[in-house]
Amino acid sequence: MQIHTEGVHSKETCSQAASAIRDALYVIGGKWKLPILMTLASGPQRFRELQKMLETITPKVLSKELKELELNEFIKRTVHPTTPVTVEYSLTHYSTSLQKVLIELRDWGFAHRQRLRASLRASKSEQVLEEK
Amino acid sequence: MQIHTEGVHSKETCSQAASAIRDALYVIGGKWKLPILMTLASGPQRFRELQKMLETITPKVLSKELKELELNEFIKRTVHPTTPVTVEYSLTHYSTSLQKVLIELRDWGFAHRQRLRASLRASKSEQVLEEK
């Protein structure tokens, strides 16, 4: 991996970097935390809206993830005094520190999906050629 | 979150971005894959070396993670014909596509650790003031 220019080169620095990544994953790891934060980037959302946008998440898991994100100061839970009360979740200022991580993961995710599609197309056209 | 400049602003684009992040996490998510790739950034390593550098990983989990990373073309397993045989793991060219993700996560992990330390120091000095 060409990250020598970034100051990562020896076993020791790579080991420290791996440890920093483990620290990061300890708070933002798992299947849902980063997708939830990205979903909230368009503005405050209610529980049901989030659930709908995240498609396959269960209410139990979403509730647990939101609590952990609130505890770690990435999101804020606001109760509006309507009848019945309205609860909204929004990003905190601290969550903006994750902006670059989210953008890089998003870009990589898009590129990876395209790569998979291209390789699928390639194997399909090979099949067609074999069948001819 | 100020990612409007990056082209993410509507609910729809945020939802697509969240979906791309989920795609990414599907292959590189979990506690160990990214730390393993970062550890290998210093050069090829043997199983025992990796295990030592990653400290708390069990051999069973490391073995499983290495197999999955190999299957997804992020690492290469090379068997050298020594007596006994030597097995080395190294990064593939495709793993370089994850460089920015790794660097951003590393930097965020470092910054987050410093933030936690600063907040710990602040709460300790508050305690000292209260005790006086």
Side-chain angles (χ1 to χ4, degrees), chain A residues 50 52 56 62 74 77 109 111 124 126:
Chain A
L50 275 172
K52 204 175 153 194
T56 53
L62 179 55
F74 295 118
R77 185 177 180 271
K124 269 188 188 166
E126 263 176 36

PDB file of all heavy atoms in Angstrom, chain A residues 50 52 56 62 74 77 109 111 124 126:
ATOM      1  N   LEU A  50     -36.181   7.602   9.681  1.00  0.00           N
ATOM      2  CA  LEU A  50     -34.868   6.933   9.664  1.00  0.00           C
ATOM      3  C   LEU A  50     -35.036   5.451   9.342  1.00  0.00           C
ATOM      4  O   LEU A  50     -34.305   4.895   8.513  1.00  0.00           O
ATOM      5  CB  LEU A  50     -34.187   7.069  11.024  1.00  0.00           C
ATOM      6  CG  LEU A  50     -33.392   8.342  11.271  1.00  0.00           C
ATOM      7  CD1 LEU A  50     -32.954   8.408  12.722  1.00  0.00           C
ATOM      8  CD2 LEU A  50     -32.150   8.369  10.362  1.00  0.00           C
ATOM      9  N   LYS A  52     -37.389   3.985   7.750  1.00  0.00           N
ATOM     10  CA  LYS A  52     -37.804   3.812   6.363  1.00  0.00           C
ATOM     11  C   LYS A  52     -36.607   3.965   5.411  1.00  0.00           C
ATOM     12  O   LYS A  52     -36.414   3.184   4.482  1.00  0.00           O
ATOM     13  CB  LYS A  52     -38.863   4.868   6.038  1.00  0.00           C
ATOM     14  CG  LYS A  52     -39.779   4.510   4.895  1.00  0.00           C
ATOM     15  CD  LYS A  52     -40.858   5.562   4.758  1.00  0.00           C
ATOM     16  CE  LYS A  52     -41.358   5.638   3.331  1.00  0.00           C
ATOM     17  NZ  LYS A  52     -42.158   6.838   3.091  1.00  0.00           N
ATOM     18  N   THR A  56     -33.640  -2.053   5.991  1.00  0.00           N
ATOM     19  CA  THR A  56     -33.666  -3.353   6.657  1.00  0.00           C
ATOM     20  C   THR A  56     -33.396  -3.314   8.166  1.00  0.00           C
ATOM     21  O   THR A  56     -33.332  -4.362   8.798  1.00  0.00           O
ATOM     22  CB  THR A  56     -32.664  -4.320   5.991  1.00  0.00           C
ATOM     23  OG1 THR A  56     -31.386  -3.673   5.967  1.00  0.00           O
ATOM     24  CG2 THR A  56     -33.084  -4.664   4.576  1.00  0.00           C
ATOM     25  N   LEU A  62     -32.314  -0.017  15.694  1.00  0.00           N
ATOM     26  CA  LEU A  62     -32.223   1.425  15.445  1.00  0.00           C
ATOM     27  C   LEU A  62     -32.233   2.194  16.767  1.00  0.00           C
ATOM     28  O   LEU A  62     -31.437   3.113  16.980  1.00  0.00           O
ATOM     29  CB  LEU A  62     -33.376   1.888  14.541  1.00  0.00           C
ATOM     30  CG  LEU A  62     -33.435   3.377  14.218  1.00  0.00           C
ATOM     31  CD1 LEU A  62     -32.133   3.894  13.613  1.00  0.00           C
ATOM     32  CD2 LEU A  62     -34.594   3.705  13.268  1.00  0.00           C
ATOM     33  N   PHE A  74     -22.611  12.180  18.977  1.00  0.00           N
ATOM     34  CA  PHE A  74     -22.660  12.356  17.522  1.00  0.00           C
ATOM     35  C   PHE A  74     -24.034  12.880  17.080  1.00  0.00           C
ATOM     36  O   PHE A  74     -24.134  13.516  16.049  1.00  0.00           O
ATOM     37  CB  PHE A  74     -22.408  11.025  16.797  1.00  0.00           C
ATOM     38  CG  PHE A  74     -21.022  10.497  17.027  1.00  0.00           C
ATOM     39  CD1 PHE A  74     -20.827   9.279  17.660  1.00  0.00           C
ATOM     40  CD2 PHE A  74     -19.913  11.218  16.611  1.00  0.00           C
ATOM     41  CE1 PHE A  74     -19.555   8.784  17.875  1.00  0.00           C
ATOM     42  CE2 PHE A  74     -18.641  10.732  16.831  1.00  0.00           C
ATOM     43  CZ  PHE A  74     -18.453   9.518  17.469  1.00  0.00           C
ATOM     44  N   ARG A  77     -31.010  14.323  20.466  1.00  0.00           N
ATOM     45  CA  ARG A  77     -32.416  13.910  20.451  1.00  0.00           C
ATOM     46  C   ARG A  77     -33.227  15.088  20.965  1.00  0.00           C
ATOM     47  O   ARG A  77     -32.994  15.581  22.072  1.00  0.00           O
ATOM     48  CB  ARG A  77     -32.578  12.709  21.379  1.00  0.00           C
ATOM     49  CG  ARG A  77     -33.937  12.074  21.392  1.00  0.00           C
ATOM     50  CD  ARG A  77     -33.897  10.851  22.326  1.00  0.00           C
ATOM     51  NE  ARG A  77     -35.189  10.186  22.383  1.00  0.00           N
ATOM     52  CZ  ARG A  77     -36.136  10.502  23.247  1.00  0.00           C
ATOM     53  NH1 ARG A  77     -35.948  11.455  24.129  1.00  0.00           N
ATOM     54  NH2 ARG A  77     -37.305   9.847  23.241  1.00  0.00           N
ATOM     55  N   GLY A 109     -17.448   2.761  -1.489  1.00  0.00           N
ATOM     56  CA  GLY A 109     -18.610   1.875  -1.649  1.00  0.00           C
ATOM     57  C   GLY A 109     -19.168   1.923  -3.063  1.00  0.00           C
ATOM     58  O   GLY A 109     -19.450   0.889  -3.666  1.00  0.00           O
ATOM     59  N   ALA A 111     -17.522   2.873  -5.823  1.00  0.00           N
ATOM     60  CA  ALA A 111     -16.518   2.307  -6.730  1.00  0.00           C
ATOM     61  C   ALA A 111     -16.496   0.784  -6.641  1.00  0.00           C
ATOM     62  O   ALA A 111     -16.388   0.087  -7.658  1.00  0.00           O
ATOM     63  CB  ALA A 111     -15.141   2.884  -6.409  1.00  0.00           C
ATOM     64  N   LYS A 124     -20.474 -12.898 -17.357  1.00  0.00           N
ATOM     65  CA  LYS A 124     -21.660 -13.227 -18.151  1.00  0.00           C
ATOM     66  C   LYS A 124     -21.315 -13.310 -19.639  1.00  0.00           C
ATOM     67  O   LYS A 124     -21.747 -14.220 -20.334  1.00  0.00           O
ATOM     68  CB  LYS A 124     -22.760 -12.184 -17.942  1.00  0.00           C
ATOM     69  CG  LYS A 124     -23.696 -12.548 -16.812  1.00  0.00           C
ATOM     70  CD  LYS A 124     -24.878 -11.609 -16.764  1.00  0.00           C
ATOM     71  CE  LYS A 124     -25.714 -11.860 -15.522  1.00  0.00           C
ATOM     72  NZ  LYS A 124     -26.657 -10.781 -15.279  1.00  0.00           N
ATOM     73  N   GLU A 126     -18.471 -13.974 -20.897  1.00  0.00           N
ATOM     74  CA  GLU A 126     -17.646 -15.179 -21.071  1.00  0.00           C
ATOM     75  C   GLU A 126     -18.543 -16.399 -21.239  1.00  0.00           C
ATOM     76  O   GLU A 126     -18.321 -17.235 -22.114  1.00  0.00           O
ATOM     77  CB  GLU A 126     -16.748 -15.392 -19.848  1.00  0.00           C
ATOM     78  CG  GLU A 126     -15.343 -14.845 -20.034  1.00  0.00           C
ATOM     79  CD  GLU A 126     -14.521 -15.000 -18.767  1.00  0.00           C
ATOM     80  OE1 GLU A 126     -14.690 -15.998 -18.063  1.00  0.00           O
ATOM     81  OE2 GLU A 126     -13.720 -14.082 -18.493  1.00  0.00           O
TER      82      GLU A 126
END
